[in-house]
Amino acid sequence: MARTSLPGFRMAPTPRLFSAPDDRADEARNRLHALFTVLLCGTWVFTGLVAHDPWKPDEAYTFGLVLHILQTGDWIVPTLAGEPFMEKPPIFFITAAAFAGVFGSLLELHDAARLAAGFYLCVVLFFVGLSARELYGREHAWVAPLALIGCVGLLIRAHQMITDTALLAGFAIGLYGLCLGLRRPAWAGIALGTGAGLGFMAKGLLAPAVLGLCALLLPVLFRTWRHRAHAWTLLAACAAILPWLIVWPWALRNRSLELFNEWFWVNNFGRFLGLNDLGPESAPGEYFVMMLWYAWPALPLAGWMLWQRGREVLRTPQLQLPMLVFVVTFATLSISADARELYAMPMLLPLSLLAAASIDGLRRSAANFLDWFGIMTFGLLAFVLWTGYVALLTGWPEQLARQLAEVHPGFDARFDPWSLVAGMAATLVWIGLVWRVGRSNRRAIVNWAAGLTLFWALTNLFFLAYIDHGKSYRGMIAELNVHLPQQYRCVASQTLGESQRALLDYFAGLKTRSVERSRAAAEECDVYLWQGWAWDDEALSAPWVKVWEGARPGDRKELYRLYQRPAG
């Protein structure tokens, strides 16, 4: 699809991020923009990937599945603490296990595995940039990645060890394939099929369904794609996706037809149609309300363009494509019976492209408002984080220090000069960036992305150990392990979560037998682990004797009790 051959689309003159003497400096300025984007995105991606334990719910059970591959080499049947876990295909678990194998000698095993999330994020940002370049030209290639990392809802989830980052990478590659469609149909089809296949191996049928439906709807709805080249794209996509659809499902089916059916029917169609009790139920309008904050500021920028241009958007091929992808993804997620906020991540990709296209046409007053709103917001947040850091170290202000101690009791704050220096450097760089960025509409996206990155950097530098102290199960499991008898047949468990089972296996090498899966476990085992709520009464009666009770520091909800059956 040649960018200059498509009618009806006129981009505003390209403003300058940094001041330049004349238009002859465009090439150097584009290289400077690209370097700046790489540095900022790299800081955003790799901050927060290491130096904390797997957190529940998603990170913990994900690492349990990675740990199984590291221990056994079996990638066909995802297994959690000795039991098959057929919720998702294994591509992310395989990738994380590979990173753990390579970097496990330098980092803790879970930190090394979490680098897989950083890898997939780099893939996402790279292909979002390529998509923006294909649609709007080279000068927009750096704007879309900044709009994406500026989305509030992406920040925490993108840095977790979860399969959704691989799904997001699949969507980004597939979206680029759609963008490339009419210009290089064969390569576009390969990208589309590969992206849909990667998404399939990450989380099942969502990516092939959405991307495939978009590819089929494009020629139906829009005249630009009613061309022979699009047919070649579809054929190439079908060829490219076949290995992804065949290899692992075939291997799983040969291993166990029952497990294959559990994955394919129960965890794909069953979740989507609400035929089982798996996953949280979707509420009417949930994603509509969620996107108001989740996709900020990309959503209001895209909405402004729709309001300003009206029907022109539907006549502009470069805008038709991301609009269609967003609408189809939104509709598919909205009709699903299973809903969670992290499922909304793929919708941020087309919105970031629309934001990149709309920022130049935004009224200067609106761009200035967004710019100053971002500067004031993240300036205030930086001040709060610095104040909290001082309170942790010095106990002043007293009230704030007392509140922090109540949230995570027992945390011992230790001064780290490197964190202080890095925090000061990050803050000064942000102040310099805000001060020196040239005046243009794009300044709003640059400052917002930089401000959010500063917030993320300061949070990890000053509070990561503090947060991990309260969220980690390491200390609690070590305390539990001390109270286990030296010899026992097995440990039965009741209402024990998937995350906790995974972490018990990782931190203590303890695999429990669920009484929900096998009632015989309560009769055959001589140790019993119960998980419940702090307000629950005593869980087990005679002959079981409670030998330990505990929880994570500051956790006033979850409670764990360990029982032992007396000998004889």
Side-chain angles (χ1 to χ4, degrees):
M1 182 170 61
R3 290 185 292 272
T4 57
S5 64
L6 292 174
F9 187 73
R10 299 183 301 276
M11 297 300 299
T14 302
R16 294 168 180 167
L17 174 61
F18 301 99
S19 59
D22 52 47
D23 291 339
R24 290 174 297 180
D26 280 350
E27 186 68 27
R29 188 171 61 251
N30 283 333
R31 286 196 294 265
L32 182 62
H33 293 169
L35 177 61
F36 167 79
T37 303
V38 169
L39 291 176
L40 184 59
C41 289
T43 302
W44 182 89
V45 166
F46 292 104
T47 299
L49 286 182
V50 299
H52 69 84
D53 288 334
W55 294 341
K56 77 159 194 175
D58 301 289
E59 274 205 329
Y61 81 76
T62 299
F63 183 69
L65 298 167
V66 174
L67 188 63
H68 169 75
I69 296 178
L70 291 170
Q71 292 173 341
T72 67
D74 179 17
W75 55 272
I76 297 176
V77 178
T79 302
L80 179 66
E83 298 179 0
F85 186 78
M86 303 310 304
E87 187 173 308
K88 301 176 182 71
I91 189 65
F92 183 86
F93 314 137
I94 295 171
T95 309
F99 274 92
V102 174
F103 298 102
S105 60
L106 303 175
L107 302 168
E108 289 211 54
L109 204 59
H110 54 270
D111 284 338
R114 198 181 292 112
L115 294 178
F119 165 74
Y120 282 118
L121 286 176
C122 290
V123 173
V124 169
L125 294 171
F126 177 71
F127 278 95
V128 166
L130 288 182
S131 296
R133 175 173 176 165
E134 185 65 28
L135 291 177
Y136 314 126
R138 184 169 59 179
E139 66 277 9
H140 286 75
W142 60 270
V143 183
L146 294 183
L148 180 60
I149 69 171
C151 290
V152 175
L154 185 65
L155 182 63
I156 295 178
R157 288 300 191 179
H159 293 87
Q160 292 181 335
M161 187 180 2
I162 56 177
T163 58
D164 296 81
T165 55
L167 174 68
L168 194 64
F171 265 96
I173 298 171
L175 180 57
Y176 174 64
L178 292 174
C179 295
L180 194 61
L182 299 183
R183 192 169 69 88
R184 304 190 68 181
W187 286 109
I190 293 173
L192 176 60
T194 300
L198 175 59
F200 169 79
M201 282 297 293
K203 290 200 69 173
L205 297 176
L206 177 63
V210 170
L211 292 172
L213 184 58
C214 290
L216 294 175
L217 286 177
L218 281 171
V220 174
L221 298 177
F222 307 118
R223 182 170 52 189
T224 304
W225 275 269
R226 295 171 194 161
H227 193 277
R228 184 181 302 172
H230 190 67
W232 285 111
T233 297
L234 295 178
L235 288 175
C238 290
I241 198 176
L242 278 179
W244 300 90
L245 298 180
I246 292 175
V247 175
W248 176 74
W250 184 265
L252 176 63
R253 192 180 187 281
N254 285 342
R255 178 76 66 87
S256 171
L257 180 60
E258 180 183 358
L259 293 179
F260 174 85
N261 289 333
E262 180 182 348
W263 162 71
F264 188 74
W265 296 109
V266 176
N267 281 292
N268 280 279
F269 293 102
R271 280 178 177 267
F272 185 82
L273 299 174
L275 302 178
N276 51 46
D277 295 328
L278 299 176
E281 294 184 3
S282 175
E286 181 172 353
Y287 285 106
F288 176 80
V289 176
M290 180 193 306
M291 294 302 287
L292 296 178
W293 65 268
Y294 196 85
W296 181 275
L299 181 62
L301 289 173
W304 171 269
M305 179 180 60
L306 292 177
W307 180 80
Q308 187 181 42
R309 297 193 178 187
R311 295 183 179 180
E312 181 186 351
V313 173
L314 297 179
R315 298 192 298 268
T316 306
Q318 289 92 336
L319 302 179
Q320 293 167 352
L321 176 55
M323 276 297 302
L324 177 64
V325 174
F326 172 76
V327 170
V328 170
T329 308
F330 181 86
T332 303
L333 293 175
S334 296
I335 64 176
S336 173
D338 184 14
R340 290 183 67 188
E341 47 84 18
L342 77 166
Y343 298 167
M345 288 168 59
M347 286 190 282
L348 300 179
L349 301 179
L351 285 178
S352 67
L353 294 177
L354 292 171
S358 66
I359 189 64
D360 291 342
L362 194 65
R363 290 181 181 176
R364 180 57 62 90
S365 58
N368 288 339
F369 171 78
L370 178 60
D371 183 28
W372 282 106
F373 177 71
I375 293 173
M376 297 301 294
T377 297
F378 294 113
L380 178 60
L381 288 174
F383 174 78
V384 171
L385 291 171
W386 273 103
T387 305
Y389 180 57
V390 172
L392 277 179
L393 293 178
T394 67
W396 182 89
E398 293 183 7
Q399 184 176 357
L400 179 58
R402 191 182 310 113
Q403 291 174 343
L404 290 171
E406 290 175 356
V407 174
H408 294 318
F411 175 71
D412 181 19
R414 299 182 180 181
F415 175 69
D416 179 12
W418 292 109
S419 295
L420 177 62
V421 171
M424 293 178 63
T427 305
L428 292 174
V429 168
W430 176 74
I431 293 173
L433 183 65
V434 169
W435 185 264
R436 296 295 298 172
V437 170
R439 295 194 176 278
S440 72
N441 281 12
R442 299 185 186 188
R443 170 190 170 101
I445 285 184
V446 173
N447 282 339
W448 184 274
L452 192 64
T453 304
L454 172 68
F455 166 77
W456 185 240
L458 293 181
T459 300
N460 282 275
L461 288 169
F462 297 162
F463 290 95
L464 183 59
Y466 171 78
I467 297 171
D468 191 47
H469 176 76
K471 294 181 73 68
S472 173
Y473 282 84
R474 184 189 295 262
M476 189 202 80
I477 291 176
E479 184 180 347
L480 180 153
N481 200 34
V482 171
H483 289 83
L484 284 172
Q486 291 187 353
Q487 294 183 348
Y488 56 90
R489 290 192 298 272
C490 59
V491 178
S493 65
Q494 179 179 337
T495 60
L496 187 64
E498 296 159 348
S499 300
Q500 290 81 357
R501 290 197 297 118
L503 295 176
L504 281 167
D505 186 20
Y506 179 45
F507 290 133
L510 177 62
K511 292 181 173 65
T512 64
R513 294 179 56 186
S514 169
V515 298
E516 289 84 3
R517 284 180 173 263
S518 173
R519 295 192 176 275
E523 301 296 329
E524 298 172 358
C525 296
D526 46 3
V527 179
Y528 201 113
L529 177 61
W530 173 90
Q531 176 186 346
W533 306 111
W535 49 85
D536 289 338
D537 295 331
E538 190 71 22
L540 299 181
S541 57
W544 295 103
V545 177
K546 184 173 69 175
V547 296
W548 173 82
E549 179 178 284
R552 292 177 297 171
D555 192 339
R556 298 176 178 85
K557 295 182 179 180
E558 284 184 3
L559 184 67
Y560 299 83
R561 295 186 179 123
L562 187 68
Y563 297 85
Q564 184 177 356
R565 194 197 309 271

